[in-house]
Amino acid sequence: MAFDELRVNGGSYPLAAAVGRTLAETLREDLGLTGTKVACGEGHCGACTVLLDGVPTLSCITLVHTVGNRDVTTIEGLREHPLVASFVRADALQCGFCTPGQIVSAAALVAAIPSPTREEVRHAMSGNLCRCGAYPKIEEAVVTWQD
Amino acid sequence: MKFVRPESPEAAASSLGNGSVALAGGTDLVPMLRDGLVQADELVFLRDVVPRGVQSGRIGAGTTLAELEVDPELPQALREACAASASPQLRSMGTIGGNLLQATRCWYWRLRFPCYLHGGDRCHARQGTHREHAIFGNDRCASAHPSDPAAALLALGARLQTTRRELPVADLYRLPTEENRNLTALERDELILELDVPTPDASVYLKAMDRRAWSFALVGVAAARFGAETRLALAGVAPVPWLLENPSALEQSTPLPGTAYKVEIARALVRRALASLPTT
């Protein structure tokens, strides 16, 4: 089976990358989708989180050739998600660099559990680090996303 | 670098070696490729050929930790060990087969010091910084095995089916010797396909970490009770997952100056794990 296409946010793009290129590099540098951030580059911090078929995935350590026919959703694909407004409402960021990854992880959580408890938020979001320490407000944004 | 999608597990296994490296979840391999710790001419992608999912105690090696974490059919110790591993994203990507075979987190090894595991003549951690390192089996290499599920599977007495043989999970691991510095006994062209996990009467996994989530174990303790027998296994205390014959075997540990505190943590976690197992 050959996958010569990459499906991102409902669109289809030809996959023309050297083996070893990461999904994050492809999204940012080849497709211009720079909402996905790369901070640590080694799978620790969660800034690069995207959804693959709805599952939060670290795009900085995902080789683009392994994506196959799975649907990629980036922060650009979540532009209309109510979580974006709830992050603004809760003032859930300072520098904002981790925010795309935070919202992507939160989107997967609320798709599975529409009204998560604070403990469920902490468990599901523990792979998204925030160096500004905005965690209390991030938690607030996620538990109030339907307001 | 080439990207290969093999047709079968056997084809995948036989193509390994000579620059061909197996790739599953990639959570350990991709950073190592990028850091130059692993060189590959060819990546052999396992997702389509290694079994995935759980059926009557048999776990496909391609099952992710996130899938195991929530499977009510599995023993509590294994579910808890998976839930306590890494981060949600890494658990969604990483497979149980890859988890068992992950490389050490020892920073001397990761930074490519010419250490014992890399074929050198000494362990830099023994003389250097070693707070996260071993208290057992540490005379040649003091690294600490990072896998939580491996300790759980060891306590549960799981067996592995590979492309070549069936073996207890205990036999997957070995301490390094002068002649062979590997920490696993898997052949270069051998793949783990399935895990067979016995169902205990009760089991538990407890983990001490620097923070409550997303950290490697300082000490992890798995306990599994089968009738009158309780098996204990530890993560983060030796270069390989460590079977503890009984609680007092902790007194035979050989901690380094910076790891003596782990013995006290292990004592406490063993006590708590045993106390938490229902006795009926």
Side-chain angles (χ1 to χ4, degrees), chain B residues 111-158:
Chain B
L111 294 171
R112 288 189 275 174
F113 278 65
C115 73
Y116 195 80
L117 275 193
H118 277 310
D121 57 7
R122 71 192 179 98
C123 168
H124 295 70
R126 286 189 66 86
Q127 306 299 322
T129 305
H130 56 240
R131 177 180 168 273
E132 278 81 357
H133 288 66
I135 60 172
F136 281 111
N138 53 3
D139 55 328
R140 289 177 159 136
C141 161
S143 67
H145 201 270
S147 170
D148 301 301
L153 291 165
L154 188 55
L156 291 162

mmCIF file of all heavy atoms in Angstrom, chain B residues 111-158:
data_model
loop_
_atom_site.group_PDB
_atom_site.id
_atom_site.type_symbol
_atom_site.label_atom_id
_atom_site.label_comp_id
_atom_site.label_asym_id
_atom_site.label_seq_id
_atom_site.Cartn_x
_atom_site.Cartn_y
_atom_site.Cartn_z
ATOM 1 N N LEU B 111 24.126 10.621 25.894
ATOM 2 C CA LEU B 111 25.053 11.637 25.392
ATOM 3 C C LEU B 111 26.287 11.007 24.745
ATOM 4 O O LEU B 111 27.248 11.694 24.425
ATOM 5 C CB LEU B 111 25.459 12.587 26.516
ATOM 6 C CG LEU B 111 24.308 13.455 27.046
ATOM 7 C CD1 LEU B 111 24.718 14.223 28.294
ATOM 8 C CD2 LEU B 111 23.814 14.419 25.972
ATOM 9 N N ARG B 112 26.255 9.700 24.567
ATOM 10 C CA ARG B 112 27.285 8.948 23.863
ATOM 11 C C ARG B 112 28.657 8.991 24.521
ATOM 12 O O ARG B 112 29.689 9.027 23.848
ATOM 13 C CB ARG B 112 27.363 9.376 22.389
ATOM 14 C CG ARG B 112 26.158 8.874 21.607
ATOM 15 C CD ARG B 112 26.317 9.086 20.131
ATOM 16 N NE ARG B 112 25.906 10.430 19.752
ATOM 17 C CZ ARG B 112 26.035 10.945 18.545
ATOM 18 N NH1 ARG B 112 26.608 10.236 17.587
ATOM 19 N NH2 ARG B 112 25.612 12.150 18.278
ATOM 20 N N PHE B 113 28.670 9.023 25.857
ATOM 21 C CA PHE B 113 29.933 8.794 26.549
ATOM 22 C C PHE B 113 30.370 7.364 26.213
ATOM 23 O O PHE B 113 29.525 6.501 26.012
ATOM 24 C CB PHE B 113 29.741 8.923 28.071
ATOM 25 C CG PHE B 113 29.756 10.345 28.572
ATOM 26 C CD1 PHE B 113 28.766 11.239 28.196
ATOM 27 C CD2 PHE B 113 30.775 10.781 29.411
ATOM 28 C CE1 PHE B 113 28.776 12.549 28.655
ATOM 29 C CE2 PHE B 113 30.787 12.092 29.872
ATOM 30 C CZ PHE B 113 29.803 12.969 29.494
ATOM 31 N N PRO B 114 31.663 7.113 26.154
ATOM 32 C CA PRO B 114 32.118 5.745 25.821
ATOM 33 C C PRO B 114 31.953 4.812 27.020
ATOM 34 O O PRO B 114 32.913 4.264 27.552
ATOM 35 C CB PRO B 114 33.595 5.954 25.474
ATOM 36 C CG PRO B 114 33.997 7.167 26.253
ATOM 37 C CD PRO B 114 32.781 8.049 26.338
ATOM 38 N N CYS B 115 30.720 4.617 27.433
ATOM 39 C CA CYS B 115 30.429 3.896 28.678
ATOM 40 C C CYS B 115 30.394 2.394 28.438
ATOM 41 O O CYS B 115 30.549 1.926 27.312
ATOM 42 C CB CYS B 115 29.094 4.380 29.247
ATOM 43 S SG CYS B 115 27.672 3.793 28.308
ATOM 44 N N TYR B 116 30.171 1.657 29.515
ATOM 45 C CA TYR B 116 30.183 0.201 29.428
ATOM 46 C C TYR B 116 29.153 -0.304 28.409
ATOM 47 O O TYR B 116 29.451 -1.172 27.585
ATOM 48 C CB TYR B 116 29.920 -0.402 30.811
ATOM 49 C CG TYR B 116 30.274 -1.858 30.883
ATOM 50 C CD1 TYR B 116 31.599 -2.257 31.053
ATOM 51 C CD2 TYR B 116 29.301 -2.839 30.757
ATOM 52 C CE1 TYR B 116 31.938 -3.596 31.089
ATOM 53 C CE2 TYR B 116 29.634 -4.182 30.796
ATOM 54 C CZ TYR B 116 30.952 -4.557 30.968
ATOM 55 O OH TYR B 116 31.291 -5.889 30.995
ATOM 56 N N LEU B 117 27.956 0.254 28.418
ATOM 57 C CA LEU B 117 26.922 -0.203 27.471
ATOM 58 C C LEU B 117 27.294 0.113 26.041
ATOM 59 O O LEU B 117 26.900 -0.580 25.112
ATOM 60 C CB LEU B 117 25.568 0.466 27.778
ATOM 61 C CG LEU B 117 24.654 -0.151 28.816
ATOM 62 C CD1 LEU B 117 23.269 0.473 28.706
ATOM 63 C CD2 LEU B 117 24.572 -1.658 28.674
ATOM 64 N N HIS B 118 28.038 1.191 25.836
ATOM 65 C CA HIS B 118 28.472 1.539 24.482
ATOM 66 C C HIS B 118 29.743 0.776 24.091
ATOM 67 O O HIS B 118 30.359 1.075 23.067
ATOM 68 C CB HIS B 118 28.742 3.044 24.381
ATOM 69 C CG HIS B 118 27.511 3.877 24.135
ATOM 70 N ND1 HIS B 118 26.601 3.590 23.137
ATOM 71 C CD2 HIS B 118 27.044 4.993 24.749
ATOM 72 C CE1 HIS B 118 25.633 4.499 23.157
ATOM 73 N NE2 HIS B 118 25.860 5.352 24.124
ATOM 74 N N GLY B 119 30.183 -0.170 24.958
ATOM 75 C CA GLY B 119 31.355 -0.976 24.622
ATOM 76 C C GLY B 119 32.629 -0.525 25.315
ATOM 77 O O GLY B 119 33.700 -1.099 25.101
ATOM 78 N N GLY B 120 32.526 0.513 26.125
ATOM 79 C CA GLY B 120 33.707 1.021 26.829
ATOM 80 C C GLY B 120 34.059 0.187 28.044
ATOM 81 O O GLY B 120 33.496 -0.891 28.259
ATOM 82 N N ASP B 121 35.013 0.670 28.856
ATOM 83 C CA ASP B 121 35.481 -0.162 29.958
ATOM 84 C C ASP B 121 34.988 0.303 31.328
ATOM 85 O O ASP B 121 35.377 -0.247 32.337
ATOM 86 C CB ASP B 121 37.014 -0.263 29.948
ATOM 87 C CG ASP B 121 37.669 1.097 30.013
ATOM 88 O OD1 ASP B 121 36.931 2.103 30.201
ATOM 89 O OD2 ASP B 121 38.907 1.170 29.871
ATOM 90 N N ARG B 122 34.157 1.352 31.355
ATOM 91 C CA ARG B 122 33.637 1.731 32.667
ATOM 92 C C ARG B 122 32.265 2.380 32.555
ATOM 93 O O ARG B 122 31.872 2.842 31.484
ATOM 94 C CB ARG B 122 34.604 2.665 33.386
ATOM 95 C CG ARG B 122 34.684 4.054 32.786
ATOM 96 C CD ARG B 122 35.870 4.800 33.382
ATOM 97 N NE ARG B 122 35.985 6.131 32.806
ATOM 98 C CZ ARG B 122 35.521 7.233 33.402
ATOM 99 N NH1 ARG B 122 34.896 7.159 34.556
ATOM 100 N NH2 ARG B 122 35.676 8.399 32.824
ATOM 101 N N CYS B 123 31.586 2.408 33.699
ATOM 102 C CA CYS B 123 30.289 3.060 33.791
ATOM 103 C C CYS B 123 30.516 4.460 34.358
ATOM 104 O O CYS B 123 30.977 4.598 35.497
ATOM 105 C CB CYS B 123 29.382 2.253 34.719
ATOM 106 S SG CYS B 123 27.877 3.121 35.193
ATOM 107 N N HIS B 124 30.233 5.459 33.554
ATOM 108 C CA HIS B 124 30.480 6.831 34.006
ATOM 109 C C HIS B 124 29.546 7.235 35.132
ATOM 110 O O HIS B 124 29.901 8.064 35.969
ATOM 111 C CB HIS B 124 30.338 7.796 32.831
ATOM 112 C CG HIS B 124 31.378 7.586 31.776
ATOM 113 N ND1 HIS B 124 31.391 6.482 30.962
ATOM 114 C CD2 HIS B 124 32.458 8.317 31.434
ATOM 115 C CE1 HIS B 124 32.429 6.546 30.149
ATOM 116 N NE2 HIS B 124 33.091 7.653 30.414
ATOM 117 N N ALA B 125 28.361 6.633 35.160
ATOM 118 C CA ALA B 125 27.387 7.015 36.185
ATOM 119 C C ALA B 125 27.861 6.610 37.582
ATOM 120 O O ALA B 125 27.580 7.302 38.558
ATOM 121 C CB ALA B 125 26.037 6.375 35.890
ATOM 122 N N ARG B 126 28.588 5.488 37.684
ATOM 123 C CA ARG B 126 29.027 5.027 39.011
ATOM 124 C C ARG B 126 29.870 6.090 39.711
ATOM 125 O O ARG B 126 29.721 6.320 40.900
ATOM 126 C CB ARG B 126 29.834 3.727 38.890
ATOM 127 C CG ARG B 126 28.977 2.506 38.595
ATOM 128 C CD ARG B 126 29.821 1.229 38.700
ATOM 129 N NE ARG B 126 30.257 0.998 40.056
ATOM 130 C CZ ARG B 126 29.533 0.359 40.973
ATOM 131 N NH1 ARG B 126 28.367 -0.147 40.668
ATOM 132 N NH2 ARG B 126 29.996 0.202 42.198
ATOM 133 N N GLN B 127 30.767 6.741 38.944
ATOM 134 C CA GLN B 127 31.607 7.787 39.532
ATOM 135 C C GLN B 127 30.936 9.158 39.441
ATOM 136 O O GLN B 127 31.290 10.072 40.166
ATOM 137 C CB GLN B 127 32.957 7.866 38.790
ATOM 138 C CG GLN B 127 33.697 6.552 38.700
ATOM 139 C CD GLN B 127 34.039 6.024 40.073
ATOM 140 O OE1 GLN B 127 34.380 6.784 40.971
ATOM 141 N NE2 GLN B 127 33.899 4.709 40.257
ATOM 142 N N GLY B 128 29.994 9.281 38.512
ATOM 143 C CA GLY B 128 29.437 10.599 38.216
ATOM 144 C C GLY B 128 28.080 10.810 38.855
ATOM 145 O O GLY B 128 27.817 10.370 39.976
ATOM 146 N N THR B 129 27.223 11.485 38.116
ATOM 147 C CA THR B 129 25.895 11.812 38.626
ATOM 148 C C THR B 129 24.968 10.630 38.377
ATOM 149 O O THR B 129 24.854 10.162 37.247
ATOM 150 C CB THR B 129 25.355 13.063 37.897
ATOM 151 O OG1 THR B 129 26.335 14.097 38.051
ATOM 152 C CG2 THR B 129 24.046 13.524 38.482
ATOM 153 N N HIS B 130 24.344 10.148 39.445
ATOM 154 C CA HIS B 130 23.594 8.890 39.278
ATOM 155 C C HIS B 130 22.365 8.825 40.162
ATOM 156 O O HIS B 130 21.960 7.734 40.587
ATOM 157 C CB HIS B 130 24.513 7.691 39.534
ATOM 158 C CG HIS B 130 25.169 7.725 40.896
ATOM 159 N ND1 HIS B 130 26.539 7.757 41.055
ATOM 160 C CD2 HIS B 130 24.655 7.767 42.133
ATOM 161 C CE1 HIS B 130 26.821 7.797 42.344
ATOM 162 N NE2 HIS B 130 25.684 7.808 43.023
ATOM 163 N N ARG B 131 21.755 9.938 40.430
ATOM 164 C CA ARG B 131 20.586 9.943 41.316
ATOM 165 C C ARG B 131 19.474 9.018 40.807
ATOM 166 O O ARG B 131 18.746 8.422 41.586
ATOM 167 C CB ARG B 131 20.076 11.372 41.443
ATOM 168 C CG ARG B 131 18.819 11.518 42.281
ATOM 169 C CD ARG B 131 18.376 12.978 42.345
ATOM 170 N NE ARG B 131 17.047 13.086 42.906
ATOM 171 C CZ ARG B 131 15.926 12.989 42.189
ATOM 172 N NH1 ARG B 131 16.000 12.782 40.883
ATOM 173 N NH2 ARG B 131 14.747 13.090 42.771
ATOM 174 N N GLU B 132 19.288 8.940 39.478
ATOM 175 C CA GLU B 132 18.210 8.137 38.899
ATOM 176 C C GLU B 132 18.643 6.690 38.630
ATOM 177 O O GLU B 132 17.913 5.961 37.985
ATOM 178 C CB GLU B 132 17.737 8.767 37.578
ATOM 179 C CG GLU B 132 16.748 9.909 37.760
ATOM 180 C CD GLU B 132 17.408 11.234 38.091
ATOM 181 O OE1 GLU B 132 18.648 11.263 38.237
ATOM 182 O OE2 GLU B 132 16.688 12.241 38.216
ATOM 183 N N HIS B 133 19.812 6.288 39.076
ATOM 184 C CA HIS B 133 20.365 5.013 38.630
ATOM 185 C C HIS B 133 20.054 3.846 39.575
ATOM 186 O O HIS B 133 19.146 3.924 40.378
ATOM 187 C CB HIS B 133 21.863 5.192 38.359
ATOM 188 C CG HIS B 133 22.129 5.997 37.108
ATOM 189 N ND1 HIS B 133 21.793 7.326 37.003
ATOM 190 C CD2 HIS B 133 22.651 5.659 35.911
ATOM 191 C CE1 HIS B 133 22.114 7.771 35.798
ATOM 192 N NE2 HIS B 133 22.629 6.777 35.110
ATOM 193 N N ALA B 134 20.830 2.767 39.418
ATOM 194 C CA ALA B 134 20.416 1.451 39.931
ATOM 195 C C ALA B 134 20.852 1.167 41.365
ATOM 196 O O ALA B 134 21.811 1.754 41.881
ATOM 197 C CB ALA B 134 20.951 0.365 39.005
ATOM 198 N N ILE B 135 20.143 0.226 41.971
ATOM 199 C CA ILE B 135 20.517 -0.298 43.295
ATOM 200 C C ILE B 135 20.728 -1.816 43.260
ATOM 201 O O ILE B 135 21.104 -2.416 44.247
ATOM 202 C CB ILE B 135 19.457 0.050 44.379
ATOM 203 C CG1 ILE B 135 18.081 -0.532 44.037
ATOM 204 C CG2 ILE B 135 19.369 1.561 44.576
ATOM 205 C CD1 ILE B 135 17.040 -0.389 45.157
ATOM 206 N N PHE B 136 20.458 -2.424 42.117
ATOM 207 C CA PHE B 136 20.693 -3.862 41.934
ATOM 208 C C PHE B 136 21.424 -4.064 40.597
ATOM 209 O O PHE B 136 21.231 -3.282 39.653
ATOM 210 C CB PHE B 136 19.376 -4.637 41.835
ATOM 211 C CG PHE B 136 18.685 -4.907 43.149
ATOM 212 C CD1 PHE B 136 17.485 -4.269 43.449
ATOM 213 C CD2 PHE B 136 19.213 -5.814 44.062
ATOM 214 C CE1 PHE B 136 16.826 -4.525 44.647
ATOM 215 C CE2 PHE B 136 18.556 -6.081 45.259
ATOM 216 C CZ PHE B 136 17.367 -5.438 45.555
ATOM 217 N N GLY B 137 22.191 -5.127 40.512
ATOM 218 C CA GLY B 137 22.792 -5.524 39.232
ATOM 219 C C GLY B 137 23.624 -4.425 38.595
ATOM 220 O O GLY B 137 23.723 -4.355 37.367
ATOM 221 N N ASN B 138 24.242 -3.567 39.434
ATOM 222 C CA ASN B 138 24.834 -2.338 38.911
ATOM 223 C C ASN B 138 26.355 -2.330 38.940
ATOM 224 O O ASN B 138 26.964 -1.270 38.903
ATOM 225 C CB ASN B 138 24.278 -1.140 39.690
ATOM 226 C CG ASN B 138 24.446 -1.313 41.204
ATOM 227 O OD1 ASN B 138 25.023 -2.306 41.646
ATOM 228 N ND2 ASN B 138 23.950 -0.358 41.963
ATOM 229 N N ASP B 139 26.990 -3.494 39.022
ATOM 230 C CA ASP B 139 28.455 -3.468 39.137
ATOM 231 C C ASP B 139 29.145 -3.059 37.838
ATOM 232 O O ASP B 139 30.178 -2.416 37.864
ATOM 233 C CB ASP B 139 28.984 -4.817 39.650
ATOM 234 C CG ASP B 139 28.515 -5.971 38.793
ATOM 235 O OD1 ASP B 139 27.392 -5.887 38.250
ATOM 236 O OD2 ASP B 139 29.254 -6.956 38.649
ATOM 237 N N ARG B 140 28.556 -3.395 36.686
ATOM 238 C CA ARG B 140 29.196 -3.023 35.414
ATOM 239 C C ARG B 140 28.543 -1.802 34.786
ATOM 240 O O ARG B 140 29.202 -0.947 34.212
ATOM 241 C CB ARG B 140 29.135 -4.185 34.436
ATOM 242 C CG ARG B 140 30.065 -5.306 34.850
ATOM 243 C CD ARG B 140 29.917 -6.465 33.897
ATOM 244 N NE ARG B 140 31.076 -7.330 33.947
ATOM 245 C CZ ARG B 140 30.997 -8.643 33.969
ATOM 246 N NH1 ARG B 140 29.815 -9.223 33.942
ATOM 247 N NH2 ARG B 140 32.084 -9.371 33.998
ATOM 248 N N CYS B 141 27.208 -1.774 34.810
ATOM 249 C CA CYS B 141 26.436 -0.665 34.256
ATOM 250 C C CYS B 141 25.389 -0.330 35.306
ATOM 251 O O CYS B 141 24.693 -1.217 35.784
ATOM 252 C CB CYS B 141 25.769 -1.099 32.952
ATOM 253 S SG CYS B 141 24.390 -0.043 32.459
ATOM 254 N N ALA B 142 25.317 0.946 35.664
ATOM 255 C CA ALA B 142 24.401 1.336 36.757
ATOM 256 C C ALA B 142 23.117 1.953 36.242
ATOM 257 O O ALA B 142 22.389 2.598 36.982
ATOM 258 C CB ALA B 142 25.105 2.299 37.704
ATOM 259 N N SER B 143 22.801 1.752 34.950
ATOM 260 C CA SER B 143 21.580 2.350 34.418
ATOM 261 C C SER B 143 20.360 1.702 35.058
ATOM 262 O O SER B 143 20.437 0.596 35.596
ATOM 263 C CB SER B 143 21.524 2.200 32.887
ATOM 264 O OG SER B 143 21.375 0.842 32.534
ATOM 265 N N ALA B 144 19.232 2.397 34.999
ATOM 266 C CA ALA B 144 17.993 1.898 35.604
ATOM 267 C C ALA B 144 16.971 1.688 34.502
ATOM 268 O O ALA B 144 16.749 2.571 33.674
ATOM 269 C CB ALA B 144 17.467 2.905 36.619
ATOM 270 N N HIS B 145 16.349 0.510 34.498
ATOM 271 C CA HIS B 145 15.402 0.227 33.414
ATOM 272 C C HIS B 145 14.165 1.103 33.544
ATOM 273 O O HIS B 145 13.556 1.186 34.599
ATOM 274 C CB HIS B 145 14.997 -1.256 33.409
ATOM 275 C CG HIS B 145 14.455 -1.680 32.080
ATOM 276 N ND1 HIS B 145 13.114 -1.600 31.785
ATOM 277 C CD2 HIS B 145 15.062 -2.122 30.960
ATOM 278 C CE1 HIS B 145 12.937 -2.002 30.529
ATOM 279 N NE2 HIS B 145 14.099 -2.326 30.005
ATOM 280 N N PRO B 146 13.774 1.773 32.428
ATOM 281 C CA PRO B 146 12.726 2.786 32.526
ATOM 282 C C PRO B 146 11.294 2.276 32.390
ATOM 283 O O PRO B 146 10.366 3.050 32.608
ATOM 284 C CB PRO B 146 13.050 3.703 31.347
ATOM 285 C CG PRO B 146 13.686 2.804 30.330
ATOM 286 C CD PRO B 146 14.428 1.762 31.110
ATOM 287 N N SER B 147 11.085 1.018 32.042
ATOM 288 C CA SER B 147 9.720 0.581 31.698
ATOM 289 C C SER B 147 8.895 0.211 32.930
ATOM 290 O O SER B 147 9.279 -0.671 33.707
ATOM 291 C CB SER B 147 9.780 -0.625 30.761
ATOM 292 O OG SER B 147 8.479 -1.188 30.626
ATOM 293 N N ASP B 148 7.746 0.853 33.084
ATOM 294 C CA ASP B 148 6.783 0.454 34.118
ATOM 295 C C ASP B 148 6.072 -0.849 33.746
ATOM 296 O O ASP B 148 5.981 -1.768 34.557
ATOM 297 C CB ASP B 148 5.757 1.574 34.354
ATOM 298 C CG ASP B 148 6.414 2.878 34.779
ATOM 299 O OD1 ASP B 148 7.100 2.884 35.817
ATOM 300 O OD2 ASP B 148 6.256 3.875 34.066
ATOM 301 N N PRO B 149 5.523 -0.943 32.500
ATOM 302 C CA PRO B 149 4.830 -2.189 32.134
ATOM 303 C C PRO B 149 5.725 -3.426 32.224
ATOM 304 O O PRO B 149 5.243 -4.515 32.545
ATOM 305 C CB PRO B 149 4.398 -1.943 30.677
ATOM 306 C CG PRO B 149 4.293 -0.464 30.564
ATOM 307 C CD PRO B 149 5.375 0.085 31.453
ATOM 308 N N ALA B 150 7.036 -3.261 31.970
ATOM 309 C CA ALA B 150 7.916 -4.439 32.036
ATOM 310 C C ALA B 150 7.929 -5.013 33.447
ATOM 311 O O ALA B 150 7.906 -6.236 33.622
ATOM 312 C CB ALA B 150 9.333 -4.066 31.593
ATOM 313 N N ALA B 151 7.959 -4.139 34.454
ATOM 314 C CA ALA B 151 7.940 -4.633 35.840
ATOM 315 C C ALA B 151 6.616 -5.336 36.125
ATOM 316 O O ALA B 151 6.584 -6.399 36.757
ATOM 317 C CB ALA B 151 8.165 -3.477 36.811
ATOM 318 N N ALA B 152 5.515 -4.743 35.641
ATOM 319 C CA ALA B 152 4.209 -5.368 35.855
ATOM 320 C C ALA B 152 4.156 -6.743 35.184
ATOM 321 O O ALA B 152 3.707 -7.733 35.782
ATOM 322 C CB ALA B 152 3.099 -4.461 35.321
ATOM 323 N N LEU B 153 4.622 -6.820 33.952
ATOM 324 C CA LEU B 153 4.579 -8.093 33.216
ATOM 325 C C LEU B 153 5.484 -9.138 33.868
ATOM 326 O O LEU B 153 5.190 -10.334 33.849
ATOM 327 C CB LEU B 153 4.985 -7.858 31.752
ATOM 328 C CG LEU B 153 3.960 -7.053 30.934
ATOM 329 C CD1 LEU B 153 4.574 -6.554 29.630
ATOM 330 C CD2 LEU B 153 2.711 -7.897 30.644
ATOM 331 N N LEU B 154 6.584 -8.675 34.456
ATOM 332 C CA LEU B 154 7.496 -9.589 35.144
ATOM 333 C C LEU B 154 6.820 -10.165 36.394
ATOM 334 O O LEU B 154 6.864 -11.370 36.639
ATOM 335 C CB LEU B 154 8.777 -8.830 35.498
ATOM 336 C CG LEU B 154 9.959 -9.615 36.049
ATOM 337 C CD1 LEU B 154 10.356 -10.739 35.111
ATOM 338 C CD2 LEU B 154 11.147 -8.665 36.272
ATOM 339 N N ALA B 155 6.170 -9.297 37.162
ATOM 340 C CA ALA B 155 5.461 -9.783 38.358
ATOM 341 C C ALA B 155 4.326 -10.721 37.967
ATOM 342 O O ALA B 155 4.037 -11.686 38.671
ATOM 343 C CB ALA B 155 4.925 -8.602 39.162
ATOM 344 N N LEU B 156 3.686 -10.427 36.837
ATOM 345 C CA LEU B 156 2.554 -11.246 36.388
ATOM 346 C C LEU B 156 3.006 -12.550 35.732
ATOM 347 O O LEU B 156 2.191 -13.416 35.427
ATOM 348 C CB LEU B 156 1.695 -10.448 35.399
ATOM 349 C CG LEU B 156 0.914 -9.274 36.012
ATOM 350 C CD1 LEU B 156 0.451 -8.300 34.932
ATOM 351 C CD2 LEU B 156 -0.275 -9.787 36.831
ATOM 352 N N GLY B 157 4.305 -12.681 35.483
ATOM 353 C CA GLY B 157 4.806 -13.889 34.840
ATOM 354 C C GLY B 157 4.367 -14.019 33.392
ATOM 355 O O GLY B 157 4.067 -15.116 32.897
ATOM 356 N N ALA B 158 4.357 -12.898 32.677
ATOM 357 C CA ALA B 158 3.938 -12.914 31.269
ATOM 358 C C ALA B 158 4.946 -13.677 30.418
ATOM 359 O O ALA B 158 6.123 -13.779 30.758
ATOM 360 C CB ALA B 158 3.798 -11.485 30.762
#
